């Protein structure tokens, strides 16, 4: 086994094109570090519907140039097998370590395979790439990003010609083509031949953002904005300037791209502490709302004054409901869609407005494919307010839309929290929470799922489980997925492993009827108690 491991590592080293990972692997071989080598050569990073995502480093279990070149070759072979061998592949990238290298390697592989390749001019938000795929008539798009993952990670996200991320069976078919790549020597990689785009695509994207806003709507809300050390600043400032909003006050410490993400433990607005600098800036600037993007700017977080001189992060479900109500008030038509882990409030808003409503599996790869989609969201801060422009979540246009809504309400002497109160009285208080467990050992997740499947709970926090569904079998409306759904009396729980991080995620929702505004405080207290009890009971049932 040891000889085989060393032979695999030496063979990988011999064709590794990157001096950094060559040096890393050489050092491990010289030191005879079998544990580290075994970790890097235990298998291969699996290509799935999220593409690739993993820690940077040497070997097939890490993100590196060798892995990316193989992935690009597999994608090129997949496109050629479908008669698209002369088509255009557009490539975008963020500001993480190695992102520019991975983008350039992808362009070289596509060019060598006979496809046309075009690379965005510099690190830009993921939604600009998603827009460019449709705008340029590409047969595929690649975005090099690990979104809100830790600094040591990078990833590779694939879009097909409809501008949506891949779904089965395309992921397995591309993975099979990747597996068929025997040696990097078999992959032609010319030094040139691809196009580096100018700013025309970005200008077209920015022009399209105008479609998000109602002509003549108020544009008075003032914002504090953080790019979370990512690539959002330039595009957000340009979009806000075009729209005529007051220029956002920047969180200076997080405004410029920095792959080390030095001010946050995790560059995700949902993580504890990530918004501390934004809230400090807001206490000085006293804006109407705080807006944050994640590093590749496809997600949008919103915080508002809480009435006591401090700031409160809105949950993704709250922003999702606010944007839905805003679009309904503007006369939007079409289908409103959400992932199954998002709040059922969207269905009630759509139903009362006479609009279609659909639930999909988690991820915008599914939401974006809903027929007649007008608006889609998922609770993890992802919102699609302009599906004709970007068939994916877009943190830039979502920021515009929520700032427009805040401006409309400001003109009425009201706030986003006032509108949330109105929705609770109209449809019931829909309170959501999450039990999210990050693990170092993935067996913790599989053990928890096995335990819940083996002994399905019949009561949780005193509430009867009226229906327990194992989603691996699929439903009438959903394809199979690794998840469990429990319907309780006045509550709902979904348990699933994260597709992009080593986390087990449990989504909780409680619905409490609200007869009038005066009943809101007691309804919120009741919902909080129930959510806390459900978290505790579920953790116990799952053995967490």
């Amino acid at each position: 086994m040891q000889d085989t491991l060393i032979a695999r590592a030496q063979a990988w080293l011999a064709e590794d094109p990157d001096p950094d990972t060559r040096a890393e692997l050489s050092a491990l071989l010289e030191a005879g570090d079998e544990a580290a080598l075994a970790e890097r050569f235990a298998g291969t990073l699996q290509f799935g519907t999220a593409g690739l995502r993993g820690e940077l480093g040497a070997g097939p279990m890490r993100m590196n140039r060798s892995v990316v070149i193989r992935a690009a070759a597999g994608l090129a072979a997949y496109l050629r097998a479908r008669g698209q061998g002369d088509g255009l592949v557009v490539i975008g990238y963020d500001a993480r370590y190695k992102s520019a290298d991975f983008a350039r390697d992808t362009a070289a592989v596509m060019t060598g395979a006979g496809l046309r390749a075009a690379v965005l001019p510099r690190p830009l938000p993921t939604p600009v790439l998603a827009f460019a795929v449709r705008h340029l008539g590409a047969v595929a798009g690649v975005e090099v990003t690990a979104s809100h993952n830790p600094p040591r990670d990078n990833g590779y996200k694939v879009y097909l010609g409809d501008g949506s991320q891949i779904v089965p069976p395309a992921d397995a078919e591309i993975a099979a083509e990747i597996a068929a790549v025997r040696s990097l020597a078999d992959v032609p990689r010319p030094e040139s031949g691809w196009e580096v785009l100018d700013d025309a695509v970005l200008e077209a994207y920015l022009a399209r953002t105008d479609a998000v806003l109602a002509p003549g709507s108020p544009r008075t809300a003032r914002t504090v904005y953080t790019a979370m050390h990512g690539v959002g600043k330039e595009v957000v400032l340009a979009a806000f300037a075009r729209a005529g909003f007051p220029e956002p006050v920047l969180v200076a410490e997080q405004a410029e791209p920095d792959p080390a993400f030095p001010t946050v433990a995790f560059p995700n607005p949902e993580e504890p502490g990530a918004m501390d600098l934004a809230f400090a800036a807001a206490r000085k600037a006293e804006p109407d709302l705080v807006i944050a993007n994640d590093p590749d700017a496809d997600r949008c977080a919103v915080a508002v004054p809480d009435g006591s001189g401090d700031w409160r992060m809105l949950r993704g479900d709250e922003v999702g409901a606010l944007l839905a109500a805003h679009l309904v008030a503007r006369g939007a038509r079409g289908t409103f869609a959400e992932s199954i882990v998002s709040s059922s409030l969207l269905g009630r808003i759509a139903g009362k407005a006479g609009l279609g409503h659909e639930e999909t599996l988690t991820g915008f790869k599914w939401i974006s494919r809903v027929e007649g989609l007008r608006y889609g969201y998922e609770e993890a801060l992802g919102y699609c307010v302009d599906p004709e422009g970007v068939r994916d979540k877009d943190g830039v246009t979502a920021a515009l839309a929520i700032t427009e809504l805040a401006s409309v309400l400001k003109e009425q002497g009201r706030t986003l929290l006032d509108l949330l109160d109105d929705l609770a009285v109209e449809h019931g208080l829909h309170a959501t929470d999450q039990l999210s467990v990050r693990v170092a050992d993935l067996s913790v997740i599989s053990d928890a799922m096995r335990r819940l499947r083996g002994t399905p709970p019949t009561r949780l926090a005193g509430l009867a489980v009226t229906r327990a569904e194992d989603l691996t079998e699929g439903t009438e409306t959903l394809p199979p997925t690794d998840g469990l759904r429990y319907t309780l009396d006045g509550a709902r729980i979904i348990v699933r492993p994260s597709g992009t991080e080593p986390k087990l995620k449990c989504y909780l929702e409680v619905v409490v009827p609200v007869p009038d505004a005066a009943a809101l405080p007691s309804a919120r207290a009741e919902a909080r108690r129930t959510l806390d009890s459900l978290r505790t009971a579920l953790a116990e049932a799952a053995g967490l």
Side-chain angles (χ1 to χ4, degrees):
M1 179 64 75
Q2 179 188 2
D3 291 345
T4 303
L5 176 63
I6 290 172
R8 286 189 68 202
Q10 289 173 335
W12 186 275
L13 177 63
E15 63 175 22
D16 187 341
D18 189 331
D20 294 334
T21 43
R22 278 205 310 272
E24 175 192 333
L25 194 49
S26 295
L28 292 175
L29 283 165
E30 287 173 23
D33 192 338
E34 286 183 43
L37 289 169
E39 190 184 349
R40 286 160 174 76
F41 288 86
T44 58
L45 275 185
Q46 292 303 298
F47 185 94
T49 56
L52 293 168
R53 198 177 290 190
E55 186 176 345
L56 290 163
M61 287 295 289
R62 295 285 190 267
M63 281 296 297
N64 51 63
R65 290 183 60 196
S66 296
V67 164
V68 164
I69 289 166
R70 289 170 181 274
L75 175 59
Y78 169 88
L79 295 170
R80 292 176 67 181
R82 276 145 193 80
Q84 297 176 316
D86 59 351
L88 172 69
V89 178
V90 61
I91 302 152
Y93 59 103
D94 65 11
R96 284 178 176 266
Y97 297 119
K98 298 289 182 183
S99 285
D101 294 340
F102 295 167
R104 188 168 52 250
D105 282 331
T106 301
V109 171
M110 295 301 162
T111 303
L115 289 120
R116 294 176 292 124
V119 183
L120 294 183
R122 58 188 168 282
L124 287 167
T126 293
V128 177
L129 181 278
F131 168 83
V133 172
R134 288 163 61 83
H135 178 70
L136 297 174
V139 296
V142 171
E143 176 70 14
V144 180
T145 182
S147 189
H148 55 281
N149 275 39
R152 64 181 182 274
D153 290 1
N154 212 329
Y156 199 82
K157 188 182 292 188
V158 175
Y159 297 76
L160 293 182
D162 61 356
S164 297
Q165 296 175 51
I166 55 169
V167 295
D171 57 335
E173 291 166 356
I174 295 170
E177 297 285 6
I178 295 170
V181 178
R182 294 190 176 183
S183 165
L184 295 194
D186 299 333
V187 182
R189 303 197 309 277
E191 293 292 321
S192 62
W194 58 88
E195 179 183 4
V196 177
L197 297 166
D198 59 21
D199 277 352
V201 168
L202 177 58
E203 288 302 318
Y205 168 83
L206 287 168
R208 177 73 205 183
T209 63
D210 297 346
V212 174
L213 305 173
S217 63
R219 312 282 167 92
T220 55
R222 295 178 304 110
T223 57
V224 160
Y225 171 74
T226 176
M228 204 66 68
H229 298 296
V231 297
K233 182 194 80 168
E234 171 195 351
V235 179
V236 166
L237 290 182
F240 271 62
R242 282 184 66 97
F245 287 113
E247 183 176 353
V249 174
L250 297 177
V251 179
E253 302 94 328
Q254 298 175 332
E256 300 303 325
D258 187 336
F261 304 109
T263 68
V264 291
F266 291 95
N268 178 355
E270 294 179 294
E271 293 283 349
M275 294 291 288
D276 288 355
L277 288 171
F279 292 157
R283 290 183 198 106
K284 294 178 183 176
E286 299 185 340
D288 299 296
L289 68 167
V290 173
I291 289 175
N293 286 140
D294 67 340
D296 68 327
D298 64 349
R299 299 169 193 245
C300 177
V302 180
V304 294
D306 66 1
S308 68
D310 216 334
W311 288 80
R312 173 165 95 78
M313 276 280 286
L314 297 181
R315 302 192 71 85
D317 284 318
E318 292 176 312
V319 177
L322 288 168
L323 289 172
H326 184 42
L327 290 169
V328 166
R330 283 176 35 186
R333 308 306 300 168
T335 299
F336 282 23
E338 62 183 323
S339 60
I340 57 171
V341 300
S342 304
S343 172
S344 58
L345 177 55
L346 184 70
R348 301 196 182 195
I349 292 171
K352 182 156 187 182
L355 302 176
H357 171 251
E358 281 199 33
E359 286 186 319
T360 74
L361 293 184
T362 308
F364 266 82
K365 56 185 173 282
W366 299 107
I367 294 171
S368 65
R369 286 179 159 75
V370 167
E371 192 170 339
L373 180 68
R374 175 58 186 87
Y375 168 64
Y377 99 93
E378 62 181 357
E379 54 73 44
L381 310 183
Y383 315 96
C384 175
V385 294
D386 177 28
E388 289 305 307
V390 175
R391 201 69 62 90
D392 197 4
K393 56 185 177 288
D394 182 345
V396 179
T397 50
L400 290 171
I402 199 70
T403 307
E404 178 186 51
L405 174 57
S407 299
V408 170
L409 293 167
K410 185 178 182 179
E411 297 291 298
Q412 302 168 359
R414 305 175 74 236
T415 68
L416 296 174
L417 293 181
D418 292 328
L419 181 52
L420 284 173
D421 287 349
D422 292 349
L423 293 172
V425 172
E426 187 174 3
H427 301 289
L429 176 67
H430 290 62
T432 57
D433 203 353
Q434 193 179 122
L435 171 62
S436 181
V437 183
R438 184 182 290 273
V439 300
D441 179 0
L442 290 176
S443 69
V444 173
I445 294 176
S446 55
D447 288 347
M449 296 297 286
R450 192 179 305 113
R451 179 168 174 160
L452 289 170
R453 286 191 169 106
T455 312
T458 56
R459 293 185 74 81
L460 289 167
L463 300 177
V465 177
T466 58
R467 188 178 185 191
E469 299 170 274
D470 188 341
L471 300 178
T472 53
E473 301 164 7
T475 72
E476 287 184 9
T477 56
L478 298 171
T481 188
D482 185 8
L484 300 164
R485 179 163 60 182
Y486 303 113
T487 304
L488 299 89
D489 187 15
R492 183 211 65 194
I493 296 173
I494 294 174
V495 183
R496 58 177 282 271
S498 170
T500 56
E501 298 178 272
K503 282 183 176 181
L504 181 67
K505 304 183 93 169
C506 311
Y507 305 84
L508 319 174
E509 180 175 41
V510 173
V511 182
V512 180
V514 183
D516 52 43
L520 275 168
S522 61
R524 286 203 178 92
E526 178 186 342
R528 185 69 266 160
R529 285 192 302 270
T530 305
L531 285 170
D532 289 344
S533 298
L534 284 172
R535 279 171 58 97
T536 302
L538 183 63
E540 184 178 332
L544 297 171

